[in-house]
Amino acid sequence: MTTEVTESARLYGNTHIVWLTMPPELHSATPGQFVMTYAGENSDPLLGRAFSIARVRTSDAGREFALLFDIVGRGTEWLSRRAPGDAVRVVGPLGRGFEPRERVQRMLLVGGGIGVAPLVWLADRLIEDGREVTLALGGRTAAQIFPAHLLPSDVEIVVATEDGSLGTRGLVTAPFEELLPWCDQAFACGPNPMFEAMHGVVRHSGLRKPVQALVEEQMACGMGICYSCAVFPRRGGVRLVCTDGPMFDLRDLY
Amino acid sequence: MAVDLSLTIGQGSKQELILRNPVMVASGTFSNGLEFAKRFDVDALGALVSKGTTLHPRRGNPQPRTGETASGMINSIGFQNIGVGAVVSEAAPVWSRWQVPVLVNIMGETIAEYGQLAERLDGVRGIAGLEVNISCPNVAAGGMEYGQDPEQAAAVVREVRRHTSLPFTVKVTPSVSDIRPIVVAVQEAGADAITVMNTIPAMAIDIKRRKPVLATTFGGLSGPAIKPVALRMVFLTASVSTVPVLAAGGVSNGTDAIEFFMAGASAVQVGTATFRDPEAAWKVLAGITEWCEQEGVTSLSDIVGAARRKD
Ligand SMILES: Cc1cc2nc3c(=O)[nH]c(=O)nc-3n(C[C@H](O)[C@H](O)[C@H](O)COP(=O)(O)O)c2cc1C
Ligand code: FES
């Protein structure tokens, strides 16, 4: 399906946001699900790029969804140069998103770097739902941290940067450790070493808190047909991030 | 004007395989079709080929296992698959409800394993034929080795032929100095068709990490980048083949398919193109039909090998 760019801007640091018209096929999407977007007209670059849906809004133009991304290669470079009115081909919604439990109140969201993208929409939704939300954000430096004023004001925000330029100095696993006893359920997105560290924190705490991790792995198709995105859970076997995930229970992975 | 696009593999044998049109999906680029069948009309295609299947389930190679290259990609999936037992008990019953014939792509580590695989799949409802893979670059044992030596290739094919009455195609590798002796050997040994070709051994380097992109260092190149190589391999194969040639390698649209037909292929397999556009195979089919109608071609066989004729 084809979508149209309605807005495109550098939002902070090296991070861009692109708003696209939301075709009806995408209306059923939930936070944590993703779309494949295809750059260019021809075969170069060849493969689609997977992006979490980072936000949804309704304006005069109808429903729109946002992609939030760092410019890291040719696909993201291409997408960042689309201007309002330009067409972008997408497929979605894909994968299995976050599954917030019913009737629990305290939600802890943990984002490492650009892993904040799906958590923005999740935070929006959870606040609308009347839950308490704390968002712990980590990054190398202040320029990598999603601006607090762009989040719903009811979201409690905690920041950790490796260089100490914003919030506490260090990794986001430290605030995660502090907040774990508080929360009823946690949701995380970021690099694999972050998940591994979080798993260690949960294990040491002795608390049986459910943590849902949104995993990233190299994708080629996004639809379960190429087997590029395999993850190897500790207990054996192999799962595909694009169809079995990207949301996995942290305990099933490590 | 109706165009006759049908094709028969294993003509005259006990179990002929009839394709209503010459558009197949390539092994490893469609999983086992179960997910796609929920969203798309797989029955409109000529045939499906399963993910490469081994005797036992396999988890495949470590990450990273794919990387993008100029108009192409490299992969080293390494035969992640559910194993022949699950293919028979889980996939085949679903396939048996479809009209589209499904071929199971098989890969053994030894010649005897190819025979065992063929035997397990023989007479199973829902399995219309086999594709014998002697060309996978991503496994330590078996795979491409057998496809690089005419005698070994023929030994694999004889072993499969002894254990099945299903029609089968043999999938060859471009990693040989001359494809023709391999083609001659496998068709004499009993192949009903030849699939040309598997991926081309290749690599990419990540200069940030100063390492090969793939965990296995080498993988197989696929996509539009390899089409000219595949065309030459099909052209050479057709110069000696007496059975249908099924072309794979960068087929992304109707024009690509027509080129392969003119080089001597009777059918095409759409692979990597499906990753960029899930409807690629259906668009290839529409493109072929449209071209035939425009050119007044009423039977596809009229153009098979057209570029080979000297006038
Ligand atoms: C991700 C991936 C997985 C593949 N897996 C298999 C496989 O299991 N068995 C096989 O015979 N070929 C496999 N192939 C090769 C394709 O079937 C095809 O021969 C090759 O990719 C060339 O066609 P294409 O350029 O249209 O992709 C695979 C290719 C890709 C890209
Ligand atoms: S990206 Fe192709 S199977 Fe997941």
Side-chain angles (χ1 to χ4, degrees):
Chain A
M1 59 195 119
T2 304
T3 62
E4 200 183 293
V5 175
T6 56
E7 189 186 330
S8 170
R10 194 180 65 87
L11 203 61
Y12 59 94
N14 183 33
T15 305
H16 275 247
I17 191 162
V18 170
W19 284 93
L20 299 155
T21 55
M22 194 167 195
E25 293 93 322
L26 287 180
H27 288 184
S28 65
T30 57
Q33 285 194 295
F34 68 96
V35 294
M36 293 299 282
T37 66
Y38 304 89
E41 290 296 310
N42 298 309
S43 59
D44 203 35
L46 180 68
L47 300 171
R49 304 299 197 259
F51 294 100
S52 296
I53 298 176
R55 221 161 202 182
V56 170
R57 70 181 181 198
T58 307
S59 69
D60 297 344
R63 225 184 294 191
E64 300 166 60
F65 70 105
L67 307 179
L68 187 76
F69 56 92
D70 289 342
I71 299 176
V72 289
R74 298 177 56 211
T76 45
E77 168 72 39
W78 182 88
L79 192 58
S80 74
R81 281 189 278 102
R82 293 312 94 195
D86 286 352
V88 176
R89 191 165 66 84
V90 309
V91 168
L94 297 166
R96 179 172 165 212
F98 290 120
E99 293 169 6
R101 295 188 171 181
E102 310 261 327
R103 289 186 293 278
V104 296
Q105 196 54 26
R106 295 169 170 177
M107 305 304 221
L108 175 57
L109 280 48
V110 183
I114 193 63
V116 67
L119 302 178
V120 176
W121 190 26
L122 180 65
D124 289 345
R125 280 287 196 86
L126 292 173
I127 291 290
E128 273 169 36
D129 236 31
R131 324 246 199 158
E132 287 171 57
V133 177
T134 299
L135 176 58
L137 294 176
R140 267 197 317 281
T141 183
Q144 288 192 324
I145 303 298
F146 191 89
H149 70 271
L150 298 176
L151 288 159
S153 54
D154 288 340
V155 175
E156 195 72 43
I157 297 161
V158 183
V159 174
T161 51
E162 286 170 51
D163 66 1
S165 54
L166 195 66
T168 55
R169 181 192 293 269
L171 298 172
V172 73
T173 33
F176 172 67
E177 187 162 11
E178 272 166 41
L179 290 160
L180 189 64
W182 166 82
C183 76
D184 297 319
Q185 191 180 6
F187 307 87
C189 185
N192 287 336
M194 182 186 99
F195 293 139
E196 230 176 301
M198 287 175 66
H199 176 69
V201 166
V202 178
R203 226 188 24 212
H204 277 112
S205 73
L207 300 168
R208 308 193 118 258
K209 300 282 168 129
V211 183
Q212 295 187 348
L214 209 68
V215 175
E216 203 185 328
E217 197 43 89
Q218 179 77 34
M219 288 192 190
C221 73
M223 284 169 274
I225 53 171
C226 77
Y227 302 178
S228 171
C229 62
V231 287
F232 306 99
R234 183 177 53 83
R235 285 190 211 104
V238 51
R239 318 294 314 274
L240 297 178
V241 168
C242 68
T243 48
D244 299 318
M247 188 277 285
F248 293 95
D249 201 312
L250 197 58
R251 276 177 303 209
D252 292 341
L253 291 179
Y254 297 102
Chain B
M1 182 186 66
V3 189
D4 180 12
L5 293 175
S6 68
L7 162 73
T8 306
I9 292 173
Q11 196 142 32
S13 72
K14 260 192 288 178
Q15 275 175 282
E16 288 184 342
L17 175 61
I18 298 166
L19 276 55
R20 60 195 289 193
N21 66 61
V23 179
M24 311 171 64
V25 293
S27 178
T29 64
F30 211 70
S31 187
N32 287 327
L34 306 188
E35 288 299 319
F36 259 49
K38 292 178 198 151
R39 292 170 50 198
F40 302 105
D41 179 18
V42 290
D43 284 337
L45 298 176
L48 310 183
V49 186
S50 79
K51 175 64 191 169
T53 300
T54 51
L55 219 42
H56 304 289
R58 283 199 188 204
R59 304 202 317 168
N61 286 325
Q63 291 290 1
R65 357 161 123 175
T66 58
E68 191 177 56
T69 58
S71 291
M73 66 177 283
I74 50 171
N75 89 81
S76 62
I77 306 300
F79 271 84
Q80 177 185 329
N81 78 102
I82 57 177
V84 70
V87 163
V88 169
S89 65
E90 290 165 28
V94 182
W95 296 338
S96 71
R97 296 197 291 269
W98 300 348
Q99 275 159 28
V100 64
V102 180
L103 282 67
V104 180
N105 181 284
I106 57 170
M107 212 266 322
E109 282 184 26
T110 61
I111 290 178
E113 274 191 21
Y114 280 98
Q116 289 165 10
L117 284 159
E119 192 167 19
R120 291 281 294 276
L121 296 163
D122 193 29
V124 175
R125 259 173 58 85
I127 296 172
L130 305 178
E131 181 169 77
V132 181
N133 183 346
I134 52 168
S135 46
C136 181
N138 295 325
V139 286
M144 202 165 81
E145 276 170 31
Y146 294 124
Q148 291 175 318
D149 175 69
E151 272 163 40
Q152 295 246 51
V156 170
V157 173
R158 274 194 302 271
E159 183 74 3
V160 172
R161 186 77 289 166
R162 251 206 309 279
H163 288 92
T164 189
S165 53
L166 287 171
F168 66 85
T169 177
V170 175
K171 187 165 179 179
V172 297
T173 172
S175 290
V176 287
S177 50
D178 187 353
I179 190 72
R180 288 167 294 187
I182 310 274
V183 171
V184 170
V186 300
Q187 70 191 10
E188 279 177 359
D192 299 302
I194 317 278
T195 306
V196 185
M197 60 188 208
N198 213 311
T199 54
I200 304 174
M203 75 178 295
I205 289 173
D206 177 348
I207 62 169
K208 250 196 234 149
R209 287 165 50 235
R210 304 189 178 193
K211 284 198 161 106
V213 166
L214 299 177
T216 51
T217 305
F218 304 135
L221 182 66
S222 66
I226 70 170
K227 194 187 83 179
V229 178
L231 269 172
R232 174 177 175 274
M233 298 305 280
V234 166
F235 196 95
L236 284 171
T237 300
S239 71
V240 293
S241 68
T242 53
V243 294
V245 179
L246 319 176
V251 178
S252 309
N253 52 49
T255 312
D256 292 340
I258 302 293
E259 284 185 50
F260 277 105
F261 298 142
M262 290 183 172
S266 297
V268 290
Q269 297 187 346
V270 180
T272 300
T274 303
F275 302 161
R276 181 175 173 86
D277 180 357
E279 293 174 273
W282 289 267
K283 290 180 182 169
V284 169
L285 178 57
I288 294 168
T289 311
E290 194 182 326
W291 185 87
C292 287
E293 282 169 357
Q294 267 169 17
E295 297 288 316
V297 172
T298 52
S299 172
L300 204 58
S301 51
D302 293 349
I303 60 154
V304 169
R308 318 182 48 78
R309 291 172 205 137
K310 297 197 178 74
D311 32 37

